[in-house]
Amino acid sequence: RGEPLGAYVARWRARSAPPVRSEEAIDPELVSLIEDSLASAPDQRPSAEAFAAVLDIILSGASERSRREGDAAHCLARARELMGRHRELGLRIQDEQRVVAVLENKIPAHAPLAAKRSLWDAQQRVRQLDGQRMIVWLDAVHEATIAQGLLEDDEAARELRAELWATRLEDQSRRGVQREVFIAQRQVRHVDPDKRGRAINAPAIVDLSGPEDAQVTFFRFVARARQLVPEQVALPPLPWRRQRLEAGRYLVTVEAPGCVPLRYPLSVDPGERFHGELRPRSAQDVGEGFVFVPAGPFRLGGDLEAINPLDRCRPTLPDLFIRRDPVSNAEWKRFLDDLAVEDARAHVPGVSGLGEHWWPAWAHHEDTGWTPGPSWRMDGPVVGIPMASAEAYARWASQRTGRPLRLPTEEEWEKAARGVDGRAYPWGDDADPVFACIRHSRAGSPGGPAPIGAFPVDVSVYGCRDMAGNVREWTTSWQGEGEVVVRGGSWQDEMGAMRCAHRAGQLAHRHELTTGFRLVSEAPASTR
């Protein structure tokens, strides 16, 4: 080409080594080694010893392992940083939730919008922080999963993933979201079967005593056709001392001479230590029309699918005797007929209108006493009475029976309806409209309350009927300014109101056709 040979050689030596090309994939580090070896300048090429050493590292995988270790370490450091952020957000959420609770008690529902701004802001901060915390947890799981993917046998990556899922399990257990609890449990068992997985599967340690001359039968609750059904299981006879019991939901029944059959629900967590005593009561103690709710802890609130639930906790209540059924129209008639006519007028069921106005729905006849309208069934629950009238009935019934009777607190009502295991409904964790008397349980328009006990599925583990539907029920608990907590669903409600943790508020003076009541007593009937 007319170019001097010396100039051509110098230009060839000065140029970069041509890239290595191949139709097959080649390890990038091997490509780099080859290209270095083809460098035009001799001093840029590796020596034979260096070439052999690098080639040995590449072929043995040590170089790839080193790269993976570096990437995994970076991911783990990032995951740990996110875990710290996750814990910090959890503490901030707790602080903000306390602020919300204080403001909710401080600011009445009828306050002007300007006065509610601080409450709205606090509620919004809780929602935002909760969303941020979820995103941070997902990012931490992502980083830890990548780290374990890079180094499958890395103990630190596996332990971090297990810790993240254990944190998730704790959060969802506190919230009571059963499907999320199930997912987290599976992940913990998969990631860490030897340590945390074994802890999830650890049995509870139970001490349980009962009467010596009783017949004791053990059942375990299983899901069948959307209901929790007790199936008998073989367990050692009582008394139990440090009895190992698989975590779950159980029912213990006791039949003792001279006593009403006792139903004692039992719910134990993995590794829990539980102490209980079975003390059946006589029919004279329980009283006609009442059921016995034994003392002990139970899971309260925490149902995120319920409307306005209480925060999840596990309080302990003493022995309680509660009416099996809400008070009926027939019983209310006996109450009114026993009073002077003018005194009874203050307690006649009716319908509230606007303001303080209401219209009575019962009439007084000289020959038959107080009589409800044609659509009021005598075997149905009484409705249309304010809280003061329900309390007046409790005083009247106390005088007639010699037993102190009152309205239940909402905690007492929830335990009687829900049992001890935190189930969503009296019968279990799933529902269908025909299980209880609600808006869509019957063909056509709702038409008013059904006869008490007409929906046999709507029965709690203790035997209380109609606690998910038919009528809402007064309690002695208050929320906001002038609003009393009413519990349960009514014949006009949608399915969401059937959940045992559902709470609604009602002005104490209102006559509502959806609200009735039942009574409780802490004293045995035999003490009168």
Side-chain angles (χ1 to χ4, degrees):
R1 299 180 181 178
E3 182 179 8
L5 179 60
Y8 174 80
V9 171
R11 183 165 54 82
W12 181 83
R13 288 177 173 175
R15 72 180 180 177
S16 300
V20 177
R21 294 184 177 87
S22 173
E23 295 181 359
E24 298 181 1
I26 302 178
D27 189 313
E29 294 190 354
L30 181 58
V31 171
S32 178
L33 177 64
I34 295 173
E35 290 179 344
D36 288 345
S37 301
L38 295 177
S40 57
D43 58 349
Q44 294 179 355
R45 305 171 197 156
S47 65
E49 293 80 5
F51 182 93
V54 173
L55 183 62
D56 182 65
I57 291 174
I58 294 172
L59 295 179
S60 67
S63 178
E64 175 65 13
R65 174 76 182 185
S66 177
R67 183 187 66 79
R68 285 173 172 267
E69 287 176 349
D71 291 347
H74 175 76
C75 290
L76 286 176
R78 175 61 178 158
R80 291 191 182 98
E81 178 186 339
L82 290 167
M83 280 189 65
R85 174 65 174 160
H86 184 267
R87 286 190 290 269
E88 175 190 332
L89 287 170
L91 295 174
R92 288 185 59 191
I93 289 173
Q94 291 178 13
D95 290 340
E96 291 294 346
Q97 286 173 332
R98 284 191 283 268
V99 172
V100 169
V102 169
L103 292 175
E104 285 178 338
N105 290 326
K106 180 180 178 181
I107 302 173
H110 58 74
L113 296 183
K116 296 178 180 176
R117 183 66 61 186
S118 58
L119 172 60
W120 294 350
D121 291 343
Q123 291 172 331
Q124 180 65 16
R125 286 195 298 271
V126 170
R127 288 191 290 267
Q128 290 176 340
L129 290 170
D130 197 48
Q132 292 175 22
R133 188 167 182 259
M134 182 63 187
I135 292 172
V136 167
W137 181 84
L138 289 171
D139 288 345
V141 171
H142 177 71
E143 296 289 348
T145 302
I146 291 176
Q148 192 167 16
L150 290 169
L151 298 174
E152 294 184 3
D153 58 345
D154 187 78
E155 182 65 20
R158 185 198 61 76
E159 173 64 25
L160 190 57
R161 283 189 67 206
E163 185 177 349
L164 283 164
W165 278 107
T167 300
R168 177 71 172 175
L169 175 58
E170 181 181 350
D171 285 347
Q172 298 308 311
S173 297
R174 189 182 304 113
R175 295 186 178 201
V177 186
Q178 292 301 319
R179 60 178 176 269
E180 294 294 337
V181 169
F182 176 73
I183 292 171
Q185 285 178 336
R186 289 194 61 183
Q187 289 294 329
V188 170
R189 290 190 185 103
H190 173 71
V191 177
D192 188 7
D194 295 330
K195 183 180 176 182
R196 289 184 174 85
R198 191 182 300 119
I200 290 176
N201 297 325
I205 306 300
V206 179
D207 294 339
L208 195 62
S209 61
E212 295 181 357
D213 57 347
Q215 179 182 341
V216 181
T217 310
F218 302 98
F219 302 86
R220 182 160 190 172
F221 284 110
V222 294
R224 296 280 187 273
R226 296 200 163 202
Q227 300 175 51
L228 288 176
V229 178
E231 290 190 353
Q232 189 169 346
V233 292
L235 289 170
L238 299 181
W240 288 352
R241 295 291 182 269
R242 298 187 61 81
Q243 171 67 38
R244 297 168 68 86
L245 186 65
E246 184 180 351
R249 300 161 160 178
Y250 296 86
L251 175 66
V252 185
T253 62
V254 182
E255 295 185 26
C259 293
V260 174
L262 172 67
R263 296 175 64 83
Y264 188 92
L266 175 64
S267 179
V268 288
D269 293 329
E272 179 183 355
R273 187 70 194 271
F274 182 87
H275 303 267
E277 182 180 3
L278 306 177
R279 295 187 297 110
R281 311 301 287 264
S282 68
Q284 293 74 22
D285 281 350
V286 176
E288 184 179 358
F290 282 76
V291 300
F292 176 47
V293 179
F298 74 105
R299 287 170 172 81
L300 173 71
D303 182 354
L304 298 186
E305 295 185 39
I307 301 171
N308 191 31
L310 293 168
D311 291 337
R312 188 174 180 84
C313 58
R314 198 178 183 188
T316 296
L317 294 182
D319 286 346
L320 185 71
F321 304 91
I322 185 168
R323 281 271 309 231
R324 180 187 65 177
D325 301 324
V327 173
S328 68
N329 285 312
E331 291 170 308
W332 197 258
K333 173 177 169 55
R334 287 195 291 271
F335 165 56
L336 294 182
D337 288 345
D338 196 49
L339 302 178
V341 174
E342 291 305 315
D343 293 337
R345 292 190 190 282
H347 306 301
V348 173
V351 182
S352 285
L354 296 175
E356 302 296 321
H357 298 289
W358 69 281
W359 293 268
W362 290 39
H364 184 265
H365 303 279
E366 292 297 332
D367 53 343
T368 59
W370 289 95
T371 305
S375 62
W376 292 59
R377 308 179 58 109
M378 299 307 288
D379 59 356
V382 66
V383 294
I385 56 169
M387 183 181 181
S389 293
E391 293 176 327
Y393 181 93
R395 292 191 296 270
W396 172 81
S398 298
Q399 292 172 355
R400 284 176 59 89
T401 63
R403 182 185 199 179
L405 298 168
R406 57 175 173 80
L407 296 176
T409 66
E410 63 171 321
E411 293 83 4
E412 292 169 338
W413 189 98
E414 185 169 328
K415 182 178 182 181
R418 199 177 191 185
V420 301
D421 56 13
R423 60 184 61 191
Y425 307 95
W427 54 81
D429 294 323
D430 295 292
D432 187 272
V434 300
F435 285 0
C437 182
I438 57 170
R439 177 179 292 274
H440 301 295
S441 299
R442 300 166 288 182
S445 61
I452 294 171
F455 287 76
V457 175
D458 189 3
V459 180
S460 78
V461 67
Y462 301 109
C464 292
R465 302 193 296 185
D466 293 1
M467 300 196 85
N470 220 12
V471 290
R472 298 178 178 182
E473 299 181 16
W474 288 110
T475 74
T476 59
S477 302
W478 292 74
Q479 67 174 17
E481 185 174 326
E483 280 197 338
V484 181
V485 175
V486 290
R487 287 300 204 108
S490 80
W491 56 275
Q492 278 193 342
D493 286 324
E494 302 292 339
M495 281 186 63
M498 296 165 67
R499 304 182 78 90
C500 294
H502 164 69
R503 303 167 69 240
Q506 183 172 315
L507 295 174
H509 68 273
R510 296 284 295 179
H511 297 68
E512 299 290 351
L513 296 181
T514 55
T515 305
F517 71 102
R518 75 180 72 212
L519 300 176
V520 301
S521 180
E522 298 172 69
S526 59
T527 60
R528 62 179 183 269

